[in-house]
Amino acid sequence: MLVAAPRKGSPDARHVAEHLEELTRLVDTAGAEVVGRISQHIVAPNPATLIGEGKVEEVAAEVSTSEASLVIFDEELSPVQGANLERELKVRVMDRAEVILDIFSTRARSHEAKLQVELAQLEYLLPRLTRMWTHLSRIRGGIGLRGPGETQLETDRRIIRRKIQGLKAKLKDVEKHRENLRSGRDPMLSVALVGYTNAGKSSILRGLSGQHEIVVEDRLFATLDTLTREVDLGEGQRARITDTVGFIRKLPHHLVASFRATLEEARAADVLLHVVDASHPDWEGQLRVVEKVLAELGLADRPVILVFNKIDLVSDATGFSRRVRELYPTAIITSTMRTDGLASLKARLRELDRAGRITVRVRLGVAEGARLAELYREGEVLSREQEGEYYDLVVRLEPSQAARLRQTGMNVSDAPAERLRLRKASG
């Protein structure tokens, strides 16, 4: 049984049906079946039960009639509210945050993701420990408690706090390891995909890379583990693109905090591609949610390009495109279902890559075939002229690549222009 209790006059109150539909999809992803929905617009939350006494009785009657074994609230419940509601309704009660944590626990694959989810679950569990113990033998277990499992519920707060500290220390080590990996990578345009869950980030990465083994599902939080691929942008240019975990409305604070290490990839990127589901009726609301989470993570100052995906699912695609151009002139419109649906995105990334490079002149002998091949491989050769036994080439390169070529003995002239900032190029 799903229950929504938005405050009167709030944005949530205007979209209560859509929010309950999203909660239905979350519950389906977690493996439960929805048998009913109830909503109440409240002036202020009841500190004891969130909703009013009469509404609690109505929910209890609906639970009895439908034989529901679980009630899920779209709003976050305090430990006291959860305990009181379970006592009144006589079934297990969860909130939206607990459902999201459960989905993450079942979808985490890598060691790092499992550490992050366990940390978030334990921090969520700590203030609610008494209620969890009270109902453990009768109704606790299953959805919402997978991950840390029942062993943590049987421990006291001191042991849980010690485990939380241990997990934070392990995640610090993971963060250092990621930093070392990034420092050892070849210089290349670095791009991070961010956006609301199920906006199509993984589809875009699969479309750009051509790697069909990348998992794509029409489900919330299909991707949890960070995935990075090198992508051929055409015209001899490449980029490193990272797919990150999707965001969602009312994302649990503990979960955002624990995933900071994963999102360091986004922090280190030259540019963020904010993917928006153009076909969603509340795409503007989803866009604002992502911007808010990015600000919480300290990523609000990063260069961002808006990418409106799934344009093939929009009924009036022409009208939608016109409106987007007016609101966001530098935005890109894409579709992974069309052969050329990502062409404009690739072109923009090529522009960014060029903006981050310098142009140099290189002189080498015509017999130096290996070095000539290296120039074509490492950079973008703009022109090549032969003068007797020598080639004079104009090449666009990363500054670090130009420095390395000088060290190998190549005749590389000083760059005629300074490196442009990606922020300016991204508009």
Side-chain angles (χ1 to χ4, degrees):
M1 184 67 63
L2 306 185
V3 182
R7 299 188 71 158
K8 288 182 179 178
S10 68
D12 285 354
R14 293 193 296 272
H15 300 284
V16 65
E18 292 167 15
H19 292 175
L20 279 173
E21 181 58 36
E22 183 175 84
L23 185 57
T24 300
R25 296 192 69 191
L26 283 170
V27 170
D28 174 67
T29 302
E33 180 185 351
V34 175
V35 294
R37 304 179 183 184
I38 299 173
S39 63
Q40 179 188 34
H41 293 194
I42 58 176
V43 177
N46 185 321
T49 55
L50 182 69
I51 54 178
E53 291 181 15
K55 207 64 178 181
V56 172
E57 292 176 4
E58 182 186 332
V59 173
E62 288 289 334
V63 166
S64 177
T65 302
S66 62
E67 298 182 349
S69 59
L70 176 64
V71 174
I72 301 176
F73 280 75
D74 194 45
E75 282 68 34
E76 185 171 351
L77 299 173
S78 69
V80 172
Q81 289 169 340
N84 290 337
L85 284 166
E86 286 194 342
R87 186 172 57 252
E88 294 293 329
L89 301 177
K90 295 180 175 55
V91 293
R92 186 166 163 227
V93 174
M94 291 172 59
D95 60 17
R96 179 189 179 88
E98 205 171 344
V99 176
I100 293 173
L101 287 170
D102 176 75
I103 293 170
F104 272 60
S105 73
T106 58
R107 298 227 159 198
R109 294 290 178 267
S110 69
H111 174 63
E112 178 186 0
K114 289 175 180 176
L115 286 177
Q116 290 164 331
V117 173
E118 185 173 357
L119 173 61
Q121 285 187 309
L122 288 173
E123 290 185 325
Y124 179 88
L125 170 67
L126 192 57
R128 296 164 174 82
L129 201 57
T130 304
R131 175 163 69 100
M132 300 293 187
W133 274 353
T134 302
H135 297 279
L136 176 62
S137 61
R138 187 155 52 90
I139 53 177
R140 283 287 165 190
I143 293 176
L145 297 178
R146 296 176 285 202
E150 293 184 355
T151 55
Q152 272 70 40
L153 300 179
E154 296 160 357
T155 62
D156 60 20
R157 287 183 174 86
R158 179 176 54 82
I159 295 175
I160 289 183
R161 287 196 183 99
R162 189 184 303 156
K163 189 164 182 65
I164 285 172
Q165 292 304 315
L167 288 169
K168 286 181 177 179
K170 288 179 181 178
L171 285 171
K172 279 285 183 187
D173 292 338
V174 169
E175 197 173 326
K176 290 177 184 175
H177 178 63
R178 280 187 175 279
E179 244 175 72
N180 292 334
L181 287 177
R182 281 195 295 270
S183 64
R185 289 171 177 168
D186 292 333
M188 189 181 298
L189 177 69
S190 176
V191 181
L193 294 163
V194 298
Y196 208 83
T197 182
N198 206 38
K201 299 184 297 299
S202 297
S203 298
I204 287 177
L205 181 60
R206 186 166 72 170
L208 289 172
S209 65
Q211 296 183 5
H212 296 287
E213 70 274 11
I214 294 174
V215 176
V216 174
E217 290 183 70
D218 186 19
R219 273 198 163 188
L220 304 183
F221 298 117
T223 302
L224 285 192
D225 297 306
T226 301
L227 187 65
T228 302
R229 292 289 183 270
E230 289 189 11
V231 170
D232 183 4
L233 301 176
E235 300 181 12
Q237 294 173 254
R238 298 182 67 79
R240 184 180 295 107
I241 301 182
T242 300
D243 186 13
T244 63
V245 63
F247 303 142
I248 197 168
R249 186 177 55 87
K250 299 179 184 176
L251 193 63
H253 172 73
H254 298 314
L255 198 58
V256 174
S258 68
F259 267 74
R260 283 183 185 274
T262 299
L263 291 165
E264 282 299 314
E265 291 289 339
R267 197 183 306 278
D270 296 317
V271 65
L272 305 181
L273 295 185
H274 179 175
V275 182
V276 181
D277 181 355
S279 66
H280 197 280
D282 187 31
W283 63 264
E284 290 170 291
Q286 293 188 348
L287 188 151
R288 287 192 295 271
V289 166
V290 174
E291 289 178 339
K292 181 182 175 184
V293 177
L294 288 175
E296 289 174 3
L297 292 165
L299 297 171
D301 63 336
R302 307 301 301 157
V304 176
I305 297 175
L306 280 175
V307 179
F308 287 86
N309 193 31
K310 304 185 184 181
I311 190 65
D312 54 292
L313 299 178
V314 177
S315 55
D316 181 14
T318 304
F320 180 87
S321 300
R322 191 183 306 116
R323 185 183 173 208
V324 165
R325 297 290 181 217
E326 291 172 358
L327 294 172
Y328 308 102
T330 60
I332 297 173
I333 296 174
T334 62
S335 169
T336 57
M337 302 305 291
R338 297 174 182 170
T339 306
D340 61 344
L342 296 174
S344 57
L345 178 57
K346 282 188 175 183
R348 177 67 64 84
L349 292 177
R350 286 197 297 270
E351 289 175 15
L352 290 173
D353 186 41
R354 292 191 190 101
R357 294 183 171 203
I358 58 172
T359 304
V360 296
R361 293 187 180 277
V362 182
R363 184 176 176 85
L364 74 165
V366 293
E368 298 180 87
R371 288 193 165 187
L372 181 63
E374 184 180 1
L375 284 176
Y376 275 94
R377 185 174 62 253
E378 297 286 347
E380 182 185 0
V381 177
L382 304 177
S383 68
R384 186 179 83 180
E385 296 178 0
Q386 184 174 351
E387 293 184 7
E389 297 297 315
Y390 293 94
Y391 285 128
D392 279 322
L393 302 101
V394 177
V395 188
R396 190 179 282 127
L397 292 163
E398 287 281 345
S400 57
Q401 291 173 324
R404 186 170 55 78
L405 292 177
R406 286 190 182 98
Q407 290 172 358
T408 62
M410 275 196 192
N411 185 357
V412 181
S413 66
D414 291 337
E418 293 183 357
R419 180 184 175 94
L420 299 175
R421 290 188 61 80
L422 282 166
R423 179 191 295 278
K424 182 178 178 182
S426 66

